[in-house]
Amino acid sequence: MKRSYTTNWPRACEVFDKLIGQLRGGEHPFDHSKAPQIDENMPANLSLAKDRGEGDRKKHALFLWMSCYYMRGGIDSEVAFRRLTLIHERKPYLFDPAWIKKHVAKKIAGGQVPYSKRLVRHLKRHAVYKELSRELSAHGLGFSLHDNTRFWILNAVKMENFWHGDPRELFHWVVSYDDLVGNIANKKKFSMNAHGGFLGFQEKMVSMISYFLASTDLVDRHTIPVPVDFHVLRMLLANEIIVPHWKVKPGKSIFSPKLLEVAREVTHRYCQERRVEMIELCDALWLFSRSMCSWHPDNISKTPDKSYQRKQQQKLRMNPLRVLELTSVGRPTEALSPDKEVGLGRKSRVVHTPPVWTSSQLAAYDRSCRMCKLEKTCKRAIPAAPYYLSGQVHLRNRTFPEGKPTLLDMAEVPIRVNVIPWDKEGTRKAAEWFLDEENRTAPVEDQQSSLDLVVEENRSDRRQLIKLTDV
């Protein structure tokens, strides 16, 4: 079925104007919610000075490029940046395409071996693969470990072969979003001999790297279109700035390439007519959706298959004989073999339980949605789980609790992220312990006490450090 969408331009101006006003005024949630690529999360051995040379700018671009492998869900973006920072401070050469190419077999680097399971098996025997994989595991980046390690290495070699090892060159002479997709997205079978197409990059990751490089002034932001990711889509769909032009069946995805195109058109038009920087609009939409919209109960999903796997992993963690097989995120280094098959990844089930408006649900609603300036225009709920698991966008009917606010004494106290300082040194020591071969011979009780530091940090990460706290 050919999909079409209608746009509400007056609604777009109304919503975007409010968000830009809040952003510029530093109002909630923009008084505390920050993008992950801020200077505080960057490596100390990476120059961010305005007068830095081209070499430093290239290194910055490469760090942002590598970070995209962890912007696909599964880990908080700020946590991913901070852990990649620790790796960069330990071993900056792992972010250098020229160095990586030197440590990959010439037949692979030269494209003589077609991309296949045979190539992957051979790559896993390389010392650079083992070193990178171990560093990622030790620093709590075990999410999609084998995929991301492979993507990291092969993409770096390809970047060095065709783009002088510099992601910024992908944006040279770009005049349209299609140009960027052609350079970056892996639309066909991956080949080391083709200039375009990088593993792990499709349309949404093209938008992500565009946003990162433009927001840090590493590429000319005026030559690229407004990046559109899940959070931007959620704001446009929830406020009915974009509406599907067909009857949507419950549980069916409304996503299509055309939806991305329409979203780019309406945001780009607003930026041109209002003379607003596209990065400013993206920050307003992205940060607002991430900080506010996730609190509505209709945006919460359950993934029972993944819950079952986590329980199996918890049982494994309770066995002290297996403690050394844990990574710094408290997960086993090898794949589990549960007694029954469970759907994982794109096959995972996503279950929506309509809110029954318990006291906790009412508290979250009263301190977020009920106080939101977009409350009157926000008509839909757009859950994140279907998108990050399988690239689907589901429209849910947004429900509303009846009656007046329940927290009358907190009527002017919005939910906010409870920001906890980054224990950088503690995280660094935990990773070093994991990497220290000598510590592996220590008594089990000593090993467990060292591991507790890492597991506790990750436990906080999974909660995303968000609580119902007073301002």
Side-chain angles (χ1 to χ4, degrees), residues 104-395:
V104 173
K106 292 183 179 180
K107 287 187 177 181
I108 293 179
Q112 295 170 280
V113 181
Y115 184 67
S116 61
K117 292 182 179 179
R118 173 173 167 267
L119 181 150
V120 174
R121 287 195 301 268
H122 186 63
L123 183 65
K124 287 183 177 181
R125 295 196 291 268
H126 282 51
V128 62
Y129 184 98
K130 295 177 181 179
E131 181 178 4
L132 176 59
S133 177
R134 199 152 174 263
E135 288 289 335
L136 293 173
S137 295
H139 289 83
L141 296 172
F143 164 71
S144 296
L145 178 63
H146 295 302
D147 284 344
N148 287 339
T149 305
R150 180 175 78 256
F151 294 173
W152 187 306
I153 295 173
L154 294 180
N155 285 347
V157 173
K158 190 170 186 175
M159 185 79 69
E160 180 66 18
N161 285 343
F162 297 108
W163 304 94
H164 300 100
D166 191 345
R168 296 175 300 166
E169 290 202 5
L170 295 162
F171 292 77
H172 288 180
W173 309 110
V174 165
V175 296
S176 71
Y177 180 76
D178 290 337
D179 292 340
L180 279 178
V181 171
N183 286 345
I184 302 173
N186 184 37
K187 304 303 292 182
K188 300 179 181 179
K189 181 176 175 60
F190 177 77
S191 171
M192 294 294 291
N193 296 314
H195 288 71
F198 291 85
L199 292 169
F201 283 83
Q202 295 295 335
E203 280 85 350
K204 74 176 181 181
M205 296 314 299
V206 172
S207 295
M208 185 60 68
I209 188 59
S210 301
Y211 167 77
F212 282 154
L213 295 181
S215 66
T216 49
D217 293 320
L218 291 169
V219 296
D220 185 354
R221 62 182 63 186
H222 299 289
T223 63
I224 63 175
V226 176
V228 176
D229 70 349
F230 167 74
H231 291 291
V232 174
L233 287 177
R234 176 153 69 181
M235 294 298 293
L236 299 181
L237 292 167
N239 289 279
E240 294 188 334
I241 295 171
I242 298 177
V243 179
H245 201 234
W246 74 92
K247 186 176 181 181
V248 180
K249 296 181 180 179
K252 295 296 183 180
S253 175
I254 65 163
F255 181 82
S256 72
K258 183 65 176 179
L259 175 60
L260 295 174
E261 181 183 337
V262 173
R264 287 192 295 271
E265 288 173 354
V266 69
T267 51
H268 183 64
R269 178 184 174 186
Y270 175 83
C271 289
Q272 285 190 318
E273 294 194 8
R274 289 290 203 270
R275 295 187 178 182
V276 171
E277 283 275 5
M278 69 94 171
I279 292 298
E280 187 176 29
L281 179 59
C282 288
D283 280 342
L285 294 168
W286 192 82
L287 293 173
F288 194 91
S289 168
R290 186 169 177 263
S291 301
M292 295 288 287
C293 302
S294 59
W295 289 105
H296 194 288
D298 279 315
N299 277 332
I300 298 174
S301 302
K302 294 182 179 180
T303 52
D305 299 334
K306 284 182 171 291
S307 297
Y308 173 82
Q309 190 197 40
R310 282 193 292 268
K311 290 179 181 178
Q312 301 306 307
Q313 292 169 342
Q314 181 62 34
K315 292 178 182 178
L316 187 63
R317 287 196 291 273
M318 296 301 291
N319 183 352
L321 298 178
R322 303 295 297 280
V323 68
L324 288 181
E325 297 181 12
L326 297 174
T327 68
S328 63
V329 290
R331 293 175 181 158
T333 55
E334 79 283 357
L336 290 172
S337 298
D339 296 331
K340 63 178 182 179
E341 290 187 4
V342 295
L344 298 174
R346 290 181 174 269
K347 295 182 180 179
S348 295
R349 291 177 295 153
V350 178
V351 179
H352 171 50
T353 302
V356 293
W357 299 111
T358 62
S359 58
S360 61
Q361 288 177 336
L362 284 171
Y365 181 88
D366 287 344
R367 298 178 64 191
S368 57
C369 296
R370 201 188 292 270
M371 303 180 70
C372 178
K373 291 184 177 181
L374 303 180
E375 170 73 0
K376 292 182 179 180
T377 59
C378 185
K379 305 297 182 183
R380 295 282 195 167
I382 320 292
Y387 184 81
Y388 286 114
L389 284 173
S390 55
Q392 298 185 4
V393 175
H394 291 180
L395 287 180

